[in-house]
PDB file of all heavy atoms in Angstrom:
ATOM      1  N   PHE A 262      14.444  -3.908  16.712  1.00 87.00           N
ATOM      2  CA  PHE A 262      14.583  -4.433  15.426  1.00 87.00           C
ATOM      3  C   PHE A 262      15.615  -5.655  15.443  1.00 87.00           C
ATOM      4  O   PHE A 262      15.515  -6.500  14.539  1.00 87.00           O
ATOM      5  CB  PHE A 262      15.112  -3.368  14.491  1.00 87.00           C
ATOM      6  CG  PHE A 262      15.115  -3.770  12.958  1.00 87.00           C
ATOM      7  CD1 PHE A 262      13.906  -3.669  12.359  1.00 87.00           C
ATOM      8  CD2 PHE A 262      16.259  -4.145  12.322  1.00 87.00           C
ATOM      9  CE1 PHE A 262      13.858  -4.035  11.026  1.00 87.00           C
ATOM     10  CE2 PHE A 262      16.148  -4.388  10.970  1.00 87.00           C
ATOM     11  CZ  PHE A 262      14.833  -4.403  10.296  1.00 87.00           C
ATOM     12  N   HIS A 263      16.507  -5.687  16.329  1.00 87.00           N
ATOM     13  CA  HIS A 263      17.470  -6.826  16.446  1.00 87.00           C
ATOM     14  C   HIS A 263      16.871  -8.058  16.802  1.00 87.00           C
ATOM     15  O   HIS A 263      17.371  -9.119  16.792  1.00 87.00           O
ATOM     16  CB  HIS A 263      18.571  -6.399  17.465  1.00 87.00           C
ATOM     17  CG  HIS A 263      19.379  -5.289  17.057  1.00 87.00           C
ATOM     18  ND1 HIS A 263      20.096  -4.456  17.882  1.00 87.00           N
ATOM     19  CD2 HIS A 263      19.739  -4.768  15.800  1.00 87.00           C
ATOM     20  CE1 HIS A 263      20.824  -3.541  17.257  1.00 87.00           C
ATOM     21  NE2 HIS A 263      20.533  -3.696  15.989  1.00 87.00           N
ATOM     22  N   HIS A 264      15.487  -8.023  17.398  1.00 88.00           N
ATOM     23  CA  HIS A 264      14.899  -9.166  17.848  1.00 88.00           C
ATOM     24  C   HIS A 264      13.598  -9.467  16.996  1.00 88.00           C
ATOM     25  O   HIS A 264      12.712 -10.155  17.425  1.00 88.00           O
ATOM     26  CB  HIS A 264      14.379  -8.977  19.286  1.00 88.00           C
ATOM     27  CG  HIS A 264      15.540  -8.765  20.303  1.00 88.00           C
ATOM     28  ND1 HIS A 264      16.248  -9.761  20.853  1.00 88.00           N
ATOM     29  CD2 HIS A 264      16.105  -7.546  20.693  1.00 88.00           C
ATOM     30  CE1 HIS A 264      17.138  -9.235  21.594  1.00 88.00           C
ATOM     31  NE2 HIS A 264      17.170  -7.902  21.521  1.00 88.00           N
ATOM     32  N   LYS A 265      13.658  -9.008  15.736  1.00 84.00           N
ATOM     33  CA  LYS A 265      12.353  -9.118  14.881  1.00 84.00           C
ATOM     34  C   LYS A 265      12.126 -10.709  14.690  1.00 84.00           C
ATOM     35  O   LYS A 265      13.125 -11.428  14.447  1.00 84.00           O
ATOM     36  CB  LYS A 265      12.475  -8.471  13.589  1.00 84.00           C
ATOM     37  CG  LYS A 265      13.762  -8.904  12.684  1.00 84.00           C
ATOM     38  CD  LYS A 265      13.771  -7.996  11.457  1.00 84.00           C
ATOM     39  CE  LYS A 265      15.022  -8.421  10.608  1.00 84.00           C
ATOM     40  NZ  LYS A 265      15.039  -7.599   9.326  1.00 84.00           N
ATOM     41  N   GLY A 266      10.861 -11.043  14.692  1.00 85.00           N
ATOM     42  CA  GLY A 266      10.548 -12.451  14.467  1.00 85.00           C
ATOM     43  C   GLY A 266      10.879 -13.327  15.728  1.00 85.00           C
ATOM     44  O   GLY A 266      10.843 -14.558  15.624  1.00 85.00           O
ATOM     45  N   ASP A 267      11.161 -12.752  16.811  1.00 86.00           N
ATOM     46  CA  ASP A 267      11.586 -13.544  17.993  1.00 86.00           C
ATOM     47  C   ASP A 267      10.786 -13.022  19.273  1.00 86.00           C
ATOM     48  O   ASP A 267      10.020 -12.071  19.177  1.00 86.00           O
ATOM     49  CB  ASP A 267      13.087 -13.346  18.130  1.00 86.00           C
ATOM     50  CG  ASP A 267      13.639 -14.532  19.000  1.00 86.00           C
ATOM     51  OD1 ASP A 267      12.918 -15.325  19.476  1.00 86.00           O
ATOM     52  OD2 ASP A 267      14.904 -14.496  19.211  1.00 86.00           O
ATOM     53  N   THR A 268      11.071 -13.589  20.353  1.00 89.00           N
ATOM     54  CA  THR A 268      10.443 -13.204  21.611  1.00 89.00           C
ATOM     55  C   THR A 268      11.594 -12.633  22.528  1.00 89.00           C
ATOM     56  O   THR A 268      12.623 -13.216  22.586  1.00 89.00           O
ATOM     57  CB  THR A 268       9.762 -14.306  22.327  1.00 89.00           C
ATOM     58  OG1 THR A 268       8.728 -14.825  21.605  1.00 89.00           O
ATOM     59  CG2 THR A 268       9.117 -13.879  23.626  1.00 89.00           C
ATOM     60  N   THR A 269      11.338 -11.550  23.168  1.00 88.00           N
ATOM     61  CA  THR A 269      12.283 -10.816  23.973  1.00 88.00           C
ATOM     62  C   THR A 269      11.649 -10.290  25.190  1.00 88.00           C
ATOM     63  O   THR A 269      10.445 -10.667  25.464  1.00 88.00           O
ATOM     64  CB  THR A 269      13.077  -9.772  23.184  1.00 88.00           C
ATOM     65  OG1 THR A 269      14.123  -9.241  24.070  1.00 88.00           O
ATOM     66  CG2 THR A 269      12.096  -8.626  22.783  1.00 88.00           C
ATOM     67  N   THR A 270      12.297  -9.453  25.926  1.00 89.00           N
ATOM     68  CA  THR A 270      11.647  -8.821  27.194  1.00 89.00           C
ATOM     69  C   THR A 270      11.781  -7.347  26.956  1.00 89.00           C
ATOM     70  O   THR A 270      12.648  -6.828  26.364  1.00 89.00           O
ATOM     71  CB  THR A 270      12.409  -9.220  28.502  1.00 89.00           C
ATOM     72  OG1 THR A 270      13.779  -8.761  28.417  1.00 89.00           O
ATOM     73  CG2 THR A 270      12.272 -10.648  28.716  1.00 89.00           C
ATOM     74  N   VAL A 271      10.745  -6.657  27.473  1.00 88.00           N
ATOM     75  CA  VAL A 271      10.667  -5.156  27.519  1.00 88.00           C
ATOM     76  C   VAL A 271      10.509  -4.722  28.883  1.00 88.00           C
ATOM     77  O   VAL A 271       9.632  -5.237  29.603  1.00 88.00           O
ATOM     78  CB  VAL A 271       9.457  -4.710  26.606  1.00 88.00           C
ATOM     79  CG1 VAL A 271       9.141  -3.293  26.834  1.00 88.00           C
ATOM     80  CG2 VAL A 271       9.748  -5.009  25.149  1.00 88.00           C
TER      81      VAL A 271
END
Side-chain angles (χ1 to χ4, degrees):
F262 193 76
H263 296 152
H264 299 275
K265 60 181 180 179
D267 201 356
T268 298
T269 186
T270 59
V271 168

